Amino acid sequence: MARSGRRPGESGAHERIAESAREAFGEQGFDGATIRGIATRAGVDPALVHHYFGTKQRLFLSVMSLPFDAAVLQAQLLGPGPEGVGERLVRFFLGLWDAQPGVRPILTGIVRSAMTGPDAAVLLRDFLGRQGLFRLVAAIAPDQPDFRAVLVGSHLIGLAMARYIVGMEPLASADAERVIAAMGPTIERYLTGDLGGDQAS
Amino acid sequence: MARSGRRPGESGAHERIAESAREAFGEQGFDGATIRGIATRAGVDPALVHHYFGTKQRLFLSVMSLPFDAAVLQAQLLGPGPEGVGERLVRFFLGLWDAQPGVRPILTGIVRSAMTGPDAAVLLRDFLGRQGLFRLVAAIAPDQPDFRAVLVGSHLIGLAMARYIVGMEPLASADAERVIAAMGPTIERYLTGDLGGDQAS
C-alpha cells in the first residue's frame, strides 16, 4: 500500500516496524509495549515510528488488523439465512486462529492488550466495530444488537483465552467440529434468539 | 489460621504480605509480580515472604483464594435439582464480583495472571479444581465433564473480562438479572444438555 510521506527504499523499515509492533503488542500487551522498545526491535529511531504511524494507539490500530473483509464475511455468514449462523461464526473464528501463522500473534495481542490497561476498552471496541462484529450483529439481531454483540464477543474471547492463550484441556486440543457443535447453538441464540428477561437496556 | 514456624506478634507482617501479594498479582499478573516487589510493598525483607509462603506459585495459591466453600456452593446450586442450575451459577458468579469489595481484585488477578504467562494454565487449572468448578460439573454432567467444565469456565471468564475488567458496554452496566436471563440457559446446556457432534474426546 503506497503512503504519502514515504520515500522509495524505506518500505523495509516500514514493514519491520509493523512486524516489531505486532510482536511487542502480542508479548507485552498494549500498555506494556513502548514506541522506544518497538523501534529498538526494528532497528530504527523512535522518531521514524512516530513519523510513519503517529501515536501508539494509531500504531496499534494500523498493525493489528485481521486479514478479512467485514462485508465479505457478513455475506458468507448471513447468505445461507439465519439458521446455522452461530456454527458458521464459530467455524470462521476458529479458522482465523488456526489457519494463518501470522494471525495468532495479532489476536493474542488484541486479547492480551484488552486485559492490561485503561485504553484497552476503547481499542477493543473500536476494533470490534471496525472489524465488523457489531455490524454483523446489527444486520441480524431482532433487538438489543449491542447487548447481543458483546455477549457473542465475550464468549468468543473466553473461548480464545481458554483454547489458544491459556491452553486449557480438553478444549485446547479438542477437534474444531466438536467446539463448533457445542458453541454454535449458543452463539446463534445470542444473535437471534430469545434472551429472556426484560429487554429494556 | 495458626501456622507452624510463625512467632507471636508477626501476624501483622503475614497479613501485610498477603495483602501486598493480592495487590501485586491483581495489577501485574502472576508473571509480572515479583517476590521482591511484594516484599517492598509490605515493608519486609524478601526472605520473610519466602519463609511464610515458599515459592511465588505457593504464595499465589495461598492468597488468591475466594471466600466460599465448594461443598456448600455445590449443595446450593444442585439442591433444587438440575433445572435452573445455569441461572443459579451465573447469579452466584456475578454476586462474587459484585458483593464483596475484597473479592474483585482477587478475581481480576486470577484472570489477568492467566493471560500473561506460561505458569498460568497450571495455576488456573489448579484454582478451578480446588475451588470446585470441576467437582461441581462432575456431580451433574451426563458425560464429558472436563469438556463441559472448560466450556463453562471459559464463558464465565469471558463474561468477567467484558463486564468487569474491560468494561464493555452495554454488558458492563447491564442489570444482573438481564445477564442471568441471557446466559443462564447457555450455562445450563453446557452443564447438562446435548452438546451435539461426536462425544468422544
Side-chain angles (χ1 to χ4, degrees):
Chain A
M1 184 176 68
R3 272 174 174 263
S4 63
R6 198 159 121 216
R7 291 183 295 275
E10 282 182 347
S11 67
H14 188 272
E15 189 39 50
R16 279 207 313 285
I17 293 168
E19 199 55 50
S20 301
R22 278 184 214 110
E23 285 172 17
F25 289 131
E27 291 167 16
Q28 302 168 279
F30 177 77
D31 280 26
T34 62
I35 294 280
R36 177 171 299 274
I38 290 164
T40 303
R41 277 178 198 251
V44 303
D45 192 89
L48 194 64
V49 180
H50 285 297
H51 173 68
Y52 282 153
F53 292 100
T55 62
K56 186 167 81 165
Q57 205 171 96
R58 281 177 176 278
L59 172 62
F60 182 91
L61 293 174
S62 295
V63 303
M64 303 300 266
S65 66
L66 294 171
F68 66 87
D69 181 297
V72 173
L73 173 64
Q74 188 164 324
Q76 278 174 359
L77 293 176
L78 300 184
E83 201 177 328
V85 65
E87 294 200 357
R88 290 194 293 277
L89 180 54
V90 178
R91 179 171 284 114
F92 164 77
F93 186 72
L94 295 179
L96 210 55
W97 285 84
D98 291 330
Q100 288 146 299
V103 172
R104 201 180 287 201
I106 293 179
L107 288 164
T108 304
I110 291 165
V111 176
R112 205 164 262 167
S113 293
M115 304 294 293
T116 55
D119 292 321
V122 177
L123 282 173
L124 192 65
R125 181 154 197 124
D126 183 274
F127 185 84
L128 291 172
R130 243 181 359 129
Q131 296 277 345
L133 179 61
F134 278 88
R135 261 188 292 167
L136 172 75
V137 177
I140 192 177
D143 54 32
Q144 316 175 68
D146 289 354
F147 188 59
R148 292 175 186 274
V150 180
L151 281 176
V152 169
S154 66
H155 196 8
L156 292 177
I157 288 171
L159 164 68
M161 200 192 104
R163 181 171 166 94
Y164 298 109
I165 300 180
V166 176
M168 290 194 76
E169 294 295 358
L171 191 58
S173 57
D175 188 75
E177 292 303 322
R178 187 181 180 198
V179 180
I180 292 163
M183 278 184 57
T186 291
I187 298 295
E188 187 154 330
R189 178 171 155 266
Y190 287 165
L191 287 171
T192 65
D194 176 12
L195 298 184
D198 177 9
Q199 303 199 346
S201 88
Chain B
M1 185 174 68
R3 274 175 173 261
S4 64
R6 194 156 125 219
R7 292 183 294 276
E10 283 182 346
S11 66
H14 188 272
E15 188 39 50
R16 278 208 313 284
I17 294 168
E19 198 55 49
S20 302
R22 277 182 215 112
E23 285 172 15
F25 290 131
E27 292 166 15
Q28 303 167 276
F30 178 77
D31 280 27
T34 62
I35 294 281
R36 178 172 298 274
I38 289 164
T40 303
R41 275 178 200 252
V44 302
D45 192 89
L48 194 64
V49 180
H50 286 296
H51 173 70
Y52 283 152
F53 293 100
T55 62
K56 187 167 81 167
Q57 204 169 97
R58 282 178 173 279
L59 172 61
F60 182 92
L61 292 174
S62 295
V63 302
M64 304 298 267
S65 65
L66 293 172
F68 65 87
D69 182 296
V72 172
L73 173 63
Q74 188 164 325
Q76 279 174 357
L77 293 176
L78 301 184
E83 200 177 330
V85 66
E87 294 202 356
R88 289 193 293 278
L89 180 54
V90 178
R91 179 171 284 116
F92 164 77
F93 185 72
L94 294 179
L96 210 54
W97 285 85
D98 291 330
Q100 288 146 300
V103 173
R104 200 179 285 201
I106 293 178
L107 287 165
T108 304
I110 291 165
V111 176
R112 206 165 259 167
S113 294
M115 304 294 295
T116 54
D119 292 322
V122 176
L123 282 173
L124 191 65
R125 181 154 197 124
D126 184 273
F127 186 85
L128 291 172
R130 239 178 4 126
Q131 296 278 346
L133 180 60
F134 279 88
R135 260 188 293 167
L136 172 74
V137 177
I140 193 177
D143 53 32
Q144 317 175 67
D146 288 354
F147 187 58
R148 290 175 186 276
V150 180
L151 281 176
V152 170
S154 66
H155 197 9
L156 291 177
I157 289 170
L159 164 68
M161 200 192 103
R163 181 173 166 92
Y164 297 108
I165 300 180
V166 175
M168 290 193 77
E169 293 297 356
L171 191 58
S173 58
D175 187 76
E177 292 303 321
R178 186 181 179 197
V179 180
I180 292 163
M183 279 185 57
T186 292
I187 298 295
E188 188 154 330
R189 177 171 156 266
Y190 286 164
L191 287 170
T192 65
D194 176 12
L195 298 184
D198 177 9
Q199 304 200 345
S201 88

